[in-house]
């Protein structure tokens, strides 16, 4: 094996391309993974255009982003147990320090040593090198072995699927009840699919191609935001005048946040999963209090990978239909353009390095 590989290297805002770089070496408790599939995340275009530089993503240049990946273990670092060369693994972005109070509780998405490399924290593709490359090193904590019948492309959907599952764990799902998803993007569609698999009647609010996709993917009801209908009134009508048991906000707009709380039933639960662009939004607090509605912020996907892989492997969660395009790493720019501009109905775009 030569010691060089192809990687997407970012040298500044809007300044990136495929370059030859050295293959990294795995250190203590790390393995070298040959990246087989890496999906473009909604956060990636903003990383590439410098939109997250204020948040210190990335913290330095040159830098390689990418975090929704699956691959094959090709080399073990010191002290690795539980993984072998040849293992097929799915990855996740967050890797906690493992020793802080939150990590010990399993809340490694909220590690108290966030960003501290020396403490062992990693946020692959955000604060530490990511997967838009032919190889990358990962701590064993960020990897989950894949069942044989799950492909690498499907494995690259585990991070997004886990983000949906995490919100559902926070709200719970009422089998036989109603759930609403605002925003039929990849995360919203995964929420709908998992909620449906758990026995919920699903309602998806959105527009255009992606709303039609939601219908094809099994949503029980769709509501078009361009229809001019009163969205909350329509949800009340579908739910027999009561409102939804669980509501998931993935659209990220002020309007959707207000509608999310207002379309929940009394004692209902709302999860906000969209990555907000600003800190402050309005929420209908009187409705929250009088109807006793719980609103959860939901971040990332701690300890979700194994369950998502099991849902995929058992055929209860179809992720294949979410992958609309695949590109080799040399066509990275074309892949990013396809994703950003939703060319040919692009939903999830996967790079196969
Ligand atoms: Zn992501
Ligand atoms: Zn920690």
């Amino acid at each position: 094996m030569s010691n060089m590989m192809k990687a997407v290297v970012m040298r500044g805002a809007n300044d990136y391309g495929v370059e030859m770089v050295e293959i990294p070496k795995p250190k203590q408790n790390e393995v070298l993974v040959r990246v087989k599939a890496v999906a473009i995340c909604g956060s990636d275009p903003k990383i590439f255009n410098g939109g997250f530089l204020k948040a210190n993503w990335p913290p330095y240049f040159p830098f390689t982003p990418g975090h929704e990946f699956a691959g094959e273990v090709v080399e073990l670092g010191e002290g690795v147990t539980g993984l072998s060369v040849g293992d097929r693994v799915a990855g996740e972005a967050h890797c906690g320090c493992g020793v802080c109070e939150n990590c010990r509780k399993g809340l490694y998405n909220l590690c108290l040593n966030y960003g501290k490399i020396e403490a062992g924290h990693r946020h692959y593709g955000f604060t530490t090198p990511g997967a838009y490359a032919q190889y990358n090193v990962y701590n064993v904590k960020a990897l989950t072995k894949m069942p044989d019948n799950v492909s690498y492309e499907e494995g690259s959907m585990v991070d997004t699927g886990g983000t949906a599952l995490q919100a559902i764990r926070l709200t719970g799902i009422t089998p036989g009840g109603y759930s609403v998803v605002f925003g039929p993007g990849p995360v919203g569609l995964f929420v709908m699919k998992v909620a449906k698999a758990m026995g919920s009647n699903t309602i998806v609010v959105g527009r255009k191609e992606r709303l039609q996709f939601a219908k094809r993917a099994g949503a029980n009801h769709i509501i078009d935001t361009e229809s001019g209908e009163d969205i909350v009134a329509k949800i009340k009508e579908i739910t027999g005048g009561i409102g939804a048991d669980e509501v998931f906000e993935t659209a990220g707009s002020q309007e959707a946040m207000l509608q999310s709380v207002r379309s929940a039933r009394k004692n209902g639960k709302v999860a906000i999963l969209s990555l907000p662009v600003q800190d402050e939004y309005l929420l209908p607090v009187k409705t929250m209090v009088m109807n006793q509605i719980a609103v959860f912020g939901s971040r990332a996907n701690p300890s979700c990978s194994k369950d998502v892989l099991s849902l995929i492997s058992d055929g209860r969660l179809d992720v294949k239909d979410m992958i609309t395009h695949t590109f080799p790493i040399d066509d990275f720019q074309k892949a990013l353009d396809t994703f950003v501009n939703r060319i040919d109905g692009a939903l999830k775009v996967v790079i196969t390095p």
Side-chain angles (χ1 to χ4, degrees):
M1 187 164 92
S2 130
N3 67 338
M4 300 300 279
M5 65 170 184
K6 285 180 188 172
V8 178
V9 178
M10 190 183 168
R11 296 192 171 272
N14 286 314
D15 179 10
Y16 54 89
V18 178
E19 295 182 16
M20 293 303 290
V21 299
E22 217 169 293
I23 296 175
K25 293 295 283 180
K27 299 197 179 87
Q28 185 85 20
N29 292 322
E30 288 180 334
V31 297
L32 182 67
V33 177
R34 188 182 164 101
V35 179
K36 297 280 195 174
V38 48
I40 299 180
C41 174
S43 61
D44 286 330
K46 213 171 161 193
I47 289 181
F48 281 107
N49 71 23
F52 284 131
L53 283 173
K54 262 197 209 152
N56 234 11
W57 294 344
Y60 58 84
F61 297 108
F63 187 83
T64 294
H67 60 274
E68 302 183 351
F69 85 99
E72 182 189 356
V73 175
V74 292
E75 192 184 333
L76 307 181
E78 251 179 76
V80 171
T81 57
L83 281 179
S84 313
V85 169
D87 279 348
R88 301 163 72 254
V89 291
E92 49 192 270
H94 286 263
C95 174
C97 73
V99 293
C100 78
E101 206 183 328
N102 279 0
C103 281
R104 286 181 186 212
K105 288 177 181 165
L107 302 168
Y108 59 88
N109 58 326
L110 305 171
C111 176
L112 298 175
N113 285 313
Y114 184 92
K116 290 184 189 155
I117 307 293
E118 65 285 4
H121 181 271
R122 301 285 184 273
H123 193 190
Y124 294 106
F126 292 84
T127 65
T128 46
Y132 290 131
Q134 290 178 310
Y135 297 88
N136 198 20
V137 289
Y138 287 92
N139 190 288
V140 292
K141 292 200 294 270
L143 301 172
T144 306
K145 273 197 231 181
M146 299 203 298
D148 290 339
N149 68 341
V150 177
S151 70
Y152 288 118
E153 281 82 2
E154 290 172 292
S156 72
M157 297 295 112
V158 168
D159 193 90
T160 311
T163 301
L165 180 61
Q166 157 75 352
I168 285 174
R169 281 181 181 168
L170 291 171
T171 61
I173 280 290
T174 308
Y178 285 91
S179 61
V180 181
V181 173
F182 282 84
V187 172
L189 289 166
F190 270 116
V191 172
M192 183 277 288
K193 283 175 175 234
V194 176
K196 189 172 171 163
M198 293 171 79
S200 179
N201 290 299
T202 53
I203 304 167
V204 176
V205 181
R207 63 197 186 103
K208 295 201 162 82
E209 275 175 28
R210 288 185 167 190
L211 187 65
Q212 297 311 316
F213 184 94
K215 183 82 204 166
R216 287 199 303 279
N220 299 97
H221 305 270
I222 55 170
I223 302 174
D224 191 338
T225 54
E226 290 179 337
S227 66
E229 278 178 299
D230 179 332
I231 306 293
V232 174
K234 184 78 195 164
I235 291 167
K236 289 274 164 75
E237 184 193 317
I238 293 169
T239 57
I242 291 173
D245 299 85
E246 297 89 23
V247 184
F248 302 90
E249 198 290 303
T250 75
S253 70
Q254 171 64 75
E255 201 183 8
M257 289 185 201
L258 288 169
Q259 290 168 340
S260 293
V261 176
R262 290 182 175 138
S263 54
R265 68 182 288 159
K266 291 180 177 177
N267 204 41
K269 311 270 198 301
V270 177
I272 299 178
L273 301 83
S274 52
L275 187 55
V277 290
Q278 67 213 41
D279 192 44
E280 294 184 2
Y281 291 86
L282 290 172
L283 286 178
V285 176
K286 188 177 172 191
T287 302
M288 281 166 64
V289 173
M290 299 313 282
N291 290 355
Q292 193 171 292
I293 290 164
V295 178
F296 297 89
S298 183
R299 179 172 192 185
N301 44 24
S303 307
C304 290
S305 296
K306 197 161 184 289
D307 291 350
V308 172
L309 281 163
S310 162
L311 286 169
I312 298 171
S313 177
D314 296 349
R316 280 172 290 169
L317 176 63
D318 179 16
V319 302
K320 279 198 204 99
D321 61 349
M322 304 284 288
I323 304 167
T324 53
H325 296 75
T326 55
F327 291 96
I329 194 166
D330 288 325
D331 292 341
F332 182 76
Q333 186 59 55
K334 200 173 158 196
L336 196 63
D337 290 343
T338 301
F339 178 76
V340 171
N341 301 311
R342 300 183 188 175
I343 294 168
D344 300 328
L347 205 54
K348 280 307 251 185
V349 175
V350 173
I351 313 289
T352 52

